[in-house]
Structures are given as C-alpha cells and as structure tokens.
Amino acid sequence: MPFLIDCPNCGRRSPYEFKFGGECKRAPDPGADVKAWCDYLYLYENMSGVQDEWWYHTMGCRSWLKIRRNTVTHEIIEE
Amino acid sequence: MMTHARAIALPGWAGKPVETQLEGWPVVERFEPPEGDCAVGLTDLSHRPKAIVQGAGAQRLGLARPGQAVWNGQSLAGCLKPGHAVVLDLTGPLEMKPADSSWTDMTDGWVLLGLWGPLSLDVVQGLVTVDVEPRERGGALFFATSCHGVPVQLFNLRAQKPGFVISCARSHGQNLFEACIRAGRQSGLKVTGLKAYSDWLCGPAA
Ligand SMILES: [Zn+2]
C-alpha cells in the first residue's frame, strides 16, 4: 500500500499498523426496518474515487480515525 | 509468593547464566564468562513492574501530549493518547502496587527488554519504522508501533547514554527477543544479565 496515514496521536505511520474499518456510512434511525439495517450492514458503495473511511490504529494508539482517501490513487485528502 | 516462569529462552552463545530469584521471578544476574563492554546490550527485564493507566490516573502523570514520556530515574511513563499512559518501573521496588483502579497491572502480560549501549539506536531503528530519535523533539519519548507485525511499546530514555526499552505481549516475547538479536548481529549485540544493565543505568555499584 503506497501511502502513509497521519494518526493525530502517533504521527505519520505505515498503513500496515492499521486495520481498515470500511467506508463511513450513516447508521439507520433506531426505528428503521430490517431491510434498512441489512443494507447498512452488507451493502457497500465500493467507491472508485474519494471516500471517507474508518481506520483503527491497532499497532499504535488503539484509536479509530476517519480519513478521506482516493481509492484509485491512495492519496489522502486533508479535510 | 507466586513463582513465575521466564518468558524468554536465552541463546547458548550468551554464556552460562548465573540465575537468582527476585520476588518469585527467575532472573539472570550475569553470564559466565562475564559479558564485558557492550556496543549493544540486550537484557530481559520482564520481571519489572508495568502498567497501563487510564483516566484520572493518567492525568496525574502530567503527560501533555501523545508520544511524550517522563523518566525520573526510577520509572518511565509515556502517553499513548489523551487519558491513556504506559508506566514501566525500572529501578524501584518490585512490588509496585497499582495506585488506584485506573491502573491495570501488565507485569505478567508483557515482556520487557532493555536495548542499551552506544549502538543501540542503530539496532532499534532496524526493528521499527518510526524515527525514534527525532531532532525536533526533546526529552524522553514514547512510541506505540509495530515490530515485524507485533504491537510494541517503545521508550527512548534520552538519558546521558543511548538506551531504549521495548515491550510487547508475553506470547510474542521470544519473537521480539530474537528480532533484537538479528537486528543487533552486525553491531556486536550481547545478551546480558541484570548486573550489566543496572551498571549501565545507575552506574556500577560501589
Ligand atoms: Zn495512532
């Protein structure tokens, strides 16, 4: 993976220190029907381009962080 | 008193270990023949007290930002992230009682290795991919990072002489120990007992 991730706690680190947590999605409202929850759990955009993602710093500060990444070029986009 | 098993098997080339017990921990005092001067010493310090501290306890340690560490000549405290710290006691009494419920005792859970001596920076830099001696930052430093895919806690003491301590889960201890040996092969690394380590850390006992 030819990119580095800037962890706000640990600084710039190899992505191999992180666990990919998937694309950021908005959870359905608590009263939503089963289909909405199934879609939330199992369907992904699989964006070819810029998306917001969760990464967990497993081998660092053990924190979740959100990054915006171009899935084609791996460029991390500062918000 | 609880009797512990040593987490790390020592290589035969280190010499014949002269062993003793400290509070139920089997430790190597020195090797025969004596280790002599070390460009890099590698010492198993796994019997030393260790803790993770969270919340109010972490705030009381006075660590302002992640990566910052304090070495007071007895113990090391490093900030993992706001409200989370790692504490290692290197020279105090072995019975470190957790100060309060914000302390989690990791003494049995982690191994702890001392990597010290004039060439220790070269060896540590062969183990981890982060810059462990950044010029722009002063004082002792703490890093939570990985070594061969194993999560490790690493302190750069930044005392008068180059020296580091590195810690990981006990189940990976042997792997980390052998990784240190491989990384230090070109630098003349020697495996030492506690005496050589404490002579280096505190000066030779009178
Ligand atoms: Zn981190």
Side-chain angles (χ1 to χ4, degrees):
Chain A
M1 281 188 278
F3 65 104
L4 298 169
I5 295 176
D6 268 322
C7 171
N9 290 320
C10 309
R12 188 160 286 193
R13 295 293 178 89
S14 155
Y16 294 108
E17 286 196 0
F18 296 78
K19 180 186 188 313
F20 180 57
E23 60 198 45
C24 298
K25 296 191 284 189
R26 190 180 155 77
D29 293 330
D33 60 15
V34 171
K35 183 179 182 311
W37 280 102
C38 270
D39 288 355
Y40 169 67
L41 284 173
Y42 297 113
L43 298 186
Y44 294 89
E45 293 290 331
N46 281 331
M47 177 76 76
S48 176
V50 175
Q51 71 174 6
D52 290 334
E53 303 171 333
W54 289 108
W55 289 77
Y56 182 69
H57 201 177
T58 328
M59 299 192 196
C61 59
R62 289 79 148 169
S63 303
W64 282 101
L65 55 141
K66 216 182 210 181
I67 65 169
R68 183 165 291 168
R69 181 177 67 105
N70 186 321
T71 60
V72 179
T73 63
H74 290 312
E75 183 194 3
I76 309 270
I77 294 130
E78 300 286 335
E79 290 182 55
Chain B
M1 186 195 300
M2 196 172 160
T3 304
H4 303 269
R6 199 167 51 217
I8 290 165
L10 301 162
W13 53 258
K16 185 175 175 296
V18 177
E19 297 186 68
T20 185
Q21 284 236 340
L22 292 175
E23 300 286 344
W25 288 92
V27 296
V28 176
E29 214 166 60
R30 61 193 159 80
F31 285 90
E32 288 291 348
E35 301 95 329
D37 289 339
C38 294
V40 188
L42 172 64
T43 315
D44 180 8
L45 306 171
S46 301
H47 62 292
R48 297 301 321 175
K50 321 170 207 43
I52 292 174
V53 191
Q54 298 184 53
Q59 271 147 29
R60 279 196 290 277
L61 294 168
L63 296 161
R65 58 176 196 282
Q68 189 189 358
V70 178
W71 163 238
N72 63 11
Q74 178 174 322
S75 62
L76 275 162
C79 183
L80 179 69
K81 58 185 169 182
H84 289 243
V86 168
V87 175
L88 308 174
D89 189 321
L90 296 187
T91 67
L94 271 179
E95 300 166 89
M96 180 178 74
K97 293 272 186 295
D100 54 49
S101 60
S102 59
W103 289 59
T104 305
D105 189 343
M106 299 304 293
T107 308
D108 293 294
W110 289 349
V111 294
L112 178 65
L113 306 174
L115 263 169
W116 51 277
L119 298 183
S120 54
L121 173 62
D122 298 3
V123 178
V124 171
Q125 214 57 91
L127 292 169
V128 298
T129 56
V130 292
D131 177 4
V132 297
E133 191 58 70
R135 284 194 199 150
E136 69 279 8
R137 290 171 60 193
L141 297 170
F142 172 73
F143 304 89
T145 183
S146 66
C147 171
H148 296 283
V150 172
V152 294
Q153 292 75 232
L154 173 72
F155 282 88
N156 183 348
L157 271 68
R158 288 246 181 102
Q160 292 85 350
K161 298 170 280 186
F164 300 81
V165 288
I166 187 164
S167 177
C168 76
R170 190 179 158 97
S171 53
H172 290 297
Q174 189 72 37
N175 298 356
L176 182 63
F177 186 77
E178 285 169 17
C180 292
I181 288 175
R182 281 195 300 277
R185 192 179 289 154
Q186 303 297 323
S187 309
L189 178 143
K190 289 181 186 173
V191 175
T192 85
L194 289 181
K195 186 179 180 311
Y197 182 76
S198 57
D199 285 355
W200 168 81
L201 189 67
C202 312

